[in-house]
Amino acid sequence: MHDTLFQPLKMGALTAKNRIFMAPLTRGRAADPMFTPNAMMGTYYRQRAGAGMILTEATGISVEGLGWPSAPGIWSDEQTEAWKPIVEGVHEEGGLITMQLWHMGRIVHPYFLDGKAPLSASATKAPGEAHTPIGKQAYVEARAATLDDIKRTIDDYHLAAENAKKAGFDAVQLHGANGYFIDQFLRDKTNLRDDEYGGSPENRTRLMREVLEALIDVWGSDRVGIRLSPNGDSQGTDDSNPQATFGAAAKVCNDLGLAFVELRQPGPDGTFGQTDVPQQDPLFREHYTGPLILNSDYSAQEAEDDVSSGRCDAVSFGRPYISNPDLEKRIAAGADFNPNVNVPKSWYFPIAEGYIDYPTLEEEQQQAAAAG
């Protein structure tokens, strides 16, 4: 039924066994101690190793860059060691796993920074409230990054990339989407700088390029990808001319020979921001010739259609993979998806419920047979 989705895909040095990818999903299970992965996370990723490629939940590159309760990090030796059995479990099941590297920028609340202001492209404040262990707290105005801050942060990305390599990952993906640090530099609503990192689209892509070059220094370009979200406001981050900004970003991705680019293309019920704006993937096809992954709000048939038509090379599924650990098998069989995904408690609480207790299609069929 969905033959194209089950063709292998070459991406740089990687070969995915199918084109049904698992999108990055923050799940908040790295608790006790905070930011360190654990065995429950190992079970979760192993269960989903049938995906063509797993893109991990966003993983903090530094204390300064991580402001989500119980999200994992990759800056310490302890975190690196804790990731190793998780990666090994996915590999034992024949899967690929790529670490997504994350700096949240102005979205980090001072709670996580001993009261200090977060870092961003400019002194701006995100709308809304941050999730913290003591409840929701209003965002504060960020501190504009100095040139020394930028150099230091690029070094943090480099170290995180080295640690991801030590942990055994197959590749790394730079989180450049959803209104976080890289996105705050890319778009002109949040980047008000007048130095070499601000102003023109080419200047605003400079940090993205330099971070990607740092990752490539560790991994080689054939094992580095990026996620971007060129589609309207995202957590207060927007752009007056997305065609120019993301056209420039696409050229950077092509010039550097990235293994893949993933674009968020949210539908009408998308998680982040506005969706009534033109989709930008045709623009990327003009400037970036490598493998393109589209994400967000896809059905199996829509994914098949877009991969078959050449609009993209693979589709990454997010929320469906929460409640369908064997999503690719359900798509192959034309089976219904388990719909139990819209339960915020199960999304983010550091518990096994709603995380590793969803049945596979085979288990559902066995239960039905036993009951019948």
Side-chain angles (χ1 to χ4, degrees):
M1 178 180 177
H2 300 295
D3 292 345
T4 306
L5 294 179
F6 290 90
Q7 299 302 310
L9 175 62
K10 184 102 167 55
M11 302 174 292
L14 309 171
T15 301
K17 59 191 172 186
N18 62 56
R19 296 169 186 237
I20 301 165
F21 291 6
M22 179 176 164
L25 291 160
T26 295
R27 302 303 310 277
R29 260 63 180 193
D32 192 28
M34 187 176 283
F35 305 135
T36 302
N38 53 43
M40 184 165 58
M41 290 170 58
T43 300
Y44 171 77
Y45 283 114
R46 181 188 283 266
Q47 288 174 340
R48 288 153 180 81
M53 180 170 67
I54 291 173
L55 295 158
T56 69
E57 61 206 283
T59 302
I61 64 159
S62 64
V63 173
E64 183 179 60
L66 185 54
W68 189 278
S70 300
I74 189 63
W75 64 81
S76 72
D77 291 341
E78 179 185 27
Q79 292 161 347
T80 303
E81 289 300 313
W83 275 111
K84 286 182 178 178
I86 298 173
V87 174
E88 288 169 4
V90 171
H91 288 164
E92 286 171 4
E93 300 297 329
L96 282 177
I97 182 166
T98 293
M99 168 162 278
Q100 187 186 69
L101 300 176
W102 194 27
H103 190 303
M104 295 172 66
R106 69 178 191 166
I107 305 299
V108 180
H109 190 270
Y111 173 91
F112 298 95
L113 304 173
D114 294 327
K116 297 177 184 176
L119 194 67
S120 188
S122 302
T124 63
K125 183 172 73 170
E129 297 176 312
H131 294 275
T132 78
I134 56 172
K136 290 189 175 183
Q137 304 287 318
Y139 290 114
V140 305
E141 184 174 279
R143 178 173 65 85
T146 65
L147 295 182
D148 284 343
D149 288 327
I150 290 172
K151 182 182 183 303
R152 175 175 53 78
T153 303
I154 293 171
D155 289 343
D156 288 341
Y157 274 106
H158 194 275
L159 175 62
E162 290 179 327
N163 287 342
K165 196 168 190 178
K166 289 177 185 175
F169 283 92
D170 296 296
V172 290
Q173 180 193 43
L174 176 61
H175 195 339
N178 300 357
Y180 295 116
F181 189 66
I182 299 296
D183 209 16
Q184 290 160 26
F185 271 79
L186 278 177
R187 303 208 243 181
D188 61 15
K189 184 175 180 180
T190 45
N191 185 338
L192 312 177
R193 304 175 71 94
D194 57 8
D195 63 3
E196 62 265 44
Y197 291 93
S200 69
E202 289 72 25
N203 279 3
R204 285 183 276 114
T205 61
R206 185 183 301 273
L207 177 67
M208 184 190 89
R209 177 189 285 273
E210 291 179 351
V211 171
L212 286 169
E213 288 171 343
L215 305 185
I216 289 168
D217 182 62
V218 176
W219 282 90
S221 61
D222 57 359
R223 291 183 182 270
V224 172
I226 190 170
R227 171 178 253 222
L228 296 167
S229 53
N231 30 45
D233 183 283
S234 190
Q235 302 194 88
T237 301
D238 205 350
D239 196 82
S240 63
N241 187 349
Q243 289 77 19
T245 296
F246 288 96
K251 290 175 183 175
V252 170
C253 296
N254 202 61
D255 290 346
L256 294 178
L258 297 188
F260 63 89
V261 170
E262 182 194 21
L263 298 183
R264 288 199 80 252
Q265 300 282 52
D269 299 316
T271 307
F272 288 92
Q274 299 173 1
T275 57
D276 56 344
V277 294
Q279 302 293 270
Q280 301 295 334
D281 56 273
L283 177 73
F284 259 77
R285 284 298 201 199
E286 287 179 28
H287 300 293
Y288 171 71
T289 59
L292 184 65
I293 305 160
L294 296 184
N295 160 253
S296 201
D297 307 310
Y298 269 91
S299 68
Q301 188 59 53
E302 288 167 342
E304 172 72 20
D305 291 345
D306 277 1
V307 173
S308 296
S309 71
R311 181 182 180 191
C312 61
D313 299 290
V315 168
S316 60
F317 290 84
R319 281 173 287 177
Y321 257 118
I322 291 177
S323 56
N324 298 277
D326 59 342
L327 182 68
E328 70 291 333
K329 290 183 179 177
R330 290 175 184 268
I331 290 174
D336 291 337
F337 294 0
N338 186 333
N340 298 323
V341 297
N342 293 314
V343 185
K345 177 181 177 182
S346 72
W347 280 358
Y348 300 132
F349 277 28
I351 56 176
E353 180 187 359
Y355 186 60
I356 57 173
D357 60 347
Y358 288 106
T360 64
L361 178 61
E362 183 179 3
E363 288 168 344
E364 278 185 5
Q365 291 170 338
Q366 291 172 347
Q367 292 167 5

